[in-house]
Amino acid sequence: MGADETGLRARLVAAGVDLVLREGQSAVSLREIARRAGVSHGAPRRYFPTHVDLLSAIAREGFADLTAQVERTLRDVDPDPRTRLTALARTYLDFAAAHRGMFELMFRHDLLDSGRLRLRETSLPLFAVLADLVAQARRPTDAPAAVLAGALWANLHGIAQLWAWGSLPLATGATDDDALLRAALDAHLGPAPA
Amino acid sequence: MGADETGLRARLVAAGVDLVLREGQSAVSLREIARRAGVSHGAPRRYFPTHVDLLSAIAREGFADLTAQVERTLRDVDPDPRTRLTALARTYLDFAAAHRGMFELMFRHDLLDSGRLRLRETSLPLFAVLADLVAQARRPTDAPAAVLAGALWANLHGIAQLWAWGSLPLATGATDDDALLRAALDAHLGPAPA
DNA sequence: CACCGGAAGTAGACAGCGTCTACGGCGGCT
DNA sequence: AGCCGCCGTAGACGCTGTCTACTTCCGGTG
């Protein structure tokens, strides 16, 4: 679990994560990361050939963090799939709001190399958790489980994105995202049980 | 309608639109736009104090184009609100796929100044069209119209985004976005009529 | 007609960026 | 002892956005 790994590679990623959380995606330059890690601007190149490689490693950390957070939440939630999906969705939105810069980076596919560094492999488990819960909560007349899960994920993601951008508050007049979240869950999974 | 406006301001925006459509968001630098417009790199500053101002003007064009495309589509569609919403949604997804670079730019709030240049005012009419149709299609037990419209928009937007990123095809195994679109519409508006 | 003033675009400078390359230093192996 | 290879340094290059000083030109006034 080398979280306190002392190698330069790990220090660079840690500095990048810290930076993106604090200052947002646009602050995460190679040179700034190197500065914060206390090395010269050329040093990162030894471990990350390009900027994209370093950003991908940082985003990977973000996906891992989000996944961990979801799993932690789910540990304390009772087994009813609908309840668990609600908790998962709430955690997703909270993550996006709390770590806005990281969330942005995670879905900036133009900045990331999703092929190398197994970035996709880090985000898929989360979807698998969601897909599994959706499969349990699915009603017979619903769309196939994979499609239903995809549509629900897209809805969550869209709410997170547009909410952060300020478009949804403006367009709907809402002051928090809870109504939207409930609407999305009700829509895809059927009305909430009492 | 000053599409062939000859003023430098308009030429810069036109060059930027062309560039973002052709090469994507990352290619839209001030200097490159100036080059394509045949002026020096300092010239844009006269009309757009910062890069953000120019990008915002370009994105504005994108919102206007999307809105126009939706309105054109809706002209030929029969008055049933559900049918019209389907057409609107299809147009939204097609636009995102066909003008990927522009679509990206339009929702890169970190690159845009949504306050000045009335950027928001350009995107709101589209939401109003959607909200109006949703209000007509809404069933009595559904969420309030504004919330329902917001949730549906978020779903559309999430599908467009995640599909373009390649996540949804990968996660769901789907090869086109039609199933997802239908799932989203069915979820929010009830099963499609025969 | 002469003049002047402001608007419009030019051109050069600056700091910052990502990338590339040549170089120093140090540890471990033979 | 000597050498090789890894790691990090340092400087250069071309690109970016921004700022500022300058020319050029056109319209209105004396």
Side-chain angles (χ1 to χ4, degrees), chain A residues 85 88 125-135 148-150 152-153 156:
Chain A
L85 275 170
L88 183 155
L126 179 57
F127 182 76
V129 171
L130 182 140
D132 179 55
L133 289 173
V134 164
L148 188 58
L152 177 57
W153 180 28
L156 274 182

Side-chain angles (χ1 to χ4, degrees), chain A residues 35-160:
Chain A
R35 241 170 268 135
R36 306 236 174 170
V39 292
S40 75
H41 69 271
R45 187 157 218 271
R46 194 73 51 185
Y47 304 93
F48 304 99
T50 73
H51 191 197
V52 166
D53 294 297
L54 180 45
L55 290 180
S56 300
I58 294 168
R60 204 166 120 76
E61 211 76 357
F63 277 112
D65 188 21
L66 171 57
T67 304
Q69 213 149 308
V70 165
E71 278 167 359
R72 193 163 345 113
T73 300
L74 254 34
R75 263 207 297 277
D76 303 333
V77 171
D78 76 54
D80 169 54
R82 180 62 140 85
T83 310
R84 293 174 80 75
L85 275 170
T86 305
L88 183 155
R90 187 69 261 159
T91 305
Y92 196 94
L93 293 189
D94 288 346
F95 181 91
H99 314 307
R100 180 181 301 222
M102 177 63 94
F103 188 76
E104 272 174 21
L105 174 63
M106 285 160 62
F107 293 94
R108 280 290 303 280
H109 66 288
D110 58 312
L111 292 185
L112 306 176
D113 180 354
S114 34
R116 248 176 308 180
L117 262 176
R118 289 152 179 67
L119 210 170
R120 281 261 166 62
E121 285 83 335
T122 314
S123 68
L124 276 179
L126 179 57
F127 182 76
V129 171
L130 182 140
D132 179 55
L133 289 173
V134 164
Q136 296 176 45
R138 178 178 169 273
R139 299 158 301 176
T141 59
D142 283 332
V147 171
L148 188 58
L152 177 57
W153 180 28
N155 208 341
L156 274 182
H157 190 78
I159 292 172

Side-chain angles (χ1 to χ4, degrees), chain B residues 30-31 35 45 51:
Chain B
L30 261 180
R31 291 172 109 105
R35 243 170 265 136
R45 190 157 215 273
H51 191 197

